[in-house]
Amino acid sequence: MIALFWRDVRRGYGGGGATLVVAFFLLVAILFPFAIGPDAALLARVGGGVIWAAALLAALLPVERLVQPDMEAGVLDQLAVRGLSPAMVAAVKIAAHWCAFAPPLMLAAAIAAGLLDLSGRRLLLVEAGLLLGTPGLAALAVTTGALVAGMRGAGAVAGLVMLPLAVPLLIFGAGAIEGGASGLKLLAAFSLLLVAAAPVIAGAAMRAGMD
C-alpha cells in the first residue's frame, strides 16, 4: 500500500499534473477580476468564493487519471489478487491525490488572494478552509474517477457527476470566510463525511469495473 501511495503521488506531480492544476486555478482566479472590474471592495468581498470555485474546477482536471489507467492496465486486479480490498485501494488513492493536489493549490491560493485583494484575515480563513475542504475534494475526485472509469467521454461525464456533489462543499467553503470558526466546523464536518463515505463507494465502483 505504501508503494501504491508513493506511486500515485509521483504520478500526480509528474508529467506536469500539479503544474497544470495550479496554472488552471490561477487562470480562473485571474479572469474573475477582468469580468467583475477593478472595484477592490467588490473583489475582496467575492474573492473567497472565487478561490473556492477555481479550486473546484481545478479538481476536475486529473479525474480521468486517478483510476482508469490502473483499471485498464490490470493493476486493480493484481491488487485484488494480493488480498487488498478495493475500498482500501480507494482510501490510499484519496490520500495520495490529496498530497499531490492540495499543497500546490494552497500555495497558489496565496497568489490568487493578492490578485483578488483579500485581506490577511480572509486569506487565513481561505487557507484554513482549503486545508479542511480539500480532503473532501480529493475524495470526490477519486470516487468520480472510479464511477466514470471505462466510460466513453469520461471527462464530460465526470463534470456532471462531481460538480453537483461538490456544491455543498463550495457553499460551506465560501461561507467559512464570513462565518469564521463556526463555518469552518461545518466545512470540516462535511469534508469528513465525504472522506468516510468515498472509499466504500469508490471501492464498489472499482469492483464493478473489474467484473
Side-chain angles (χ1 to χ4, degrees):
M1 300 305 287
I2 295 175
L4 175 64
F5 171 81
W6 285 115
R7 191 213 61 172
D8 278 14
V9 171
R10 288 194 300 270
R11 188 163 65 182
Y13 281 101
T19 302
L20 181 62
V21 168
V22 169
F24 182 83
F25 173 83
L26 289 176
L27 180 62
V28 174
I30 290 170
L31 289 176
F32 265 91
F34 286 106
I36 294 174
D39 189 336
L42 179 59
L43 285 175
R45 189 163 62 252
V46 303
V50 169
I51 288 176
W52 265 99
L56 175 56
L57 294 174
L60 277 172
L61 290 180
V63 164
E64 288 182 78
R65 297 185 291 107
L66 296 177
V67 176
Q68 186 165 335
D70 286 344
M71 186 174 291
E72 293 175 347
V75 174
L76 298 181
D77 293 308
Q78 294 175 20
L79 293 172
V81 169
R82 295 180 183 183
L84 299 177
S85 69
M88 186 180 298
V89 172
V92 172
K93 283 185 169 292
I94 290 170
H97 180 48
W98 184 86
C99 289
F101 166 71
L105 198 66
M106 293 177 67
L107 289 174
I111 301 174
L115 296 172
L116 296 168
D117 201 27
L118 295 185
S119 65
R121 177 183 175 277
R122 281 181 172 266
L123 175 58
L124 287 175
L125 288 171
V126 166
E127 294 287 6
L130 288 174
L131 181 63
L132 295 172
T134 46
L137 278 180
L140 274 178
V142 172
T143 303
T144 303
L147 290 171
V148 304
M151 290 185 180
R152 182 176 298 177
V157 177
L160 294 175
V161 173
M162 184 173 172
L163 288 176
L165 296 175
V167 167
L169 201 63
L170 177 64
I171 293 173
F172 291 142
I177 300 171
E178 300 295 337
S182 60
L184 290 174
K185 289 178 182 177
L186 287 173
L187 175 62
F190 188 72
S191 182
L192 182 61
L193 177 64
L194 292 175
V195 171
V200 178
I201 300 172
M206 290 179 188
R207 187 180 295 108
M210 291 186 288
D211 292 339

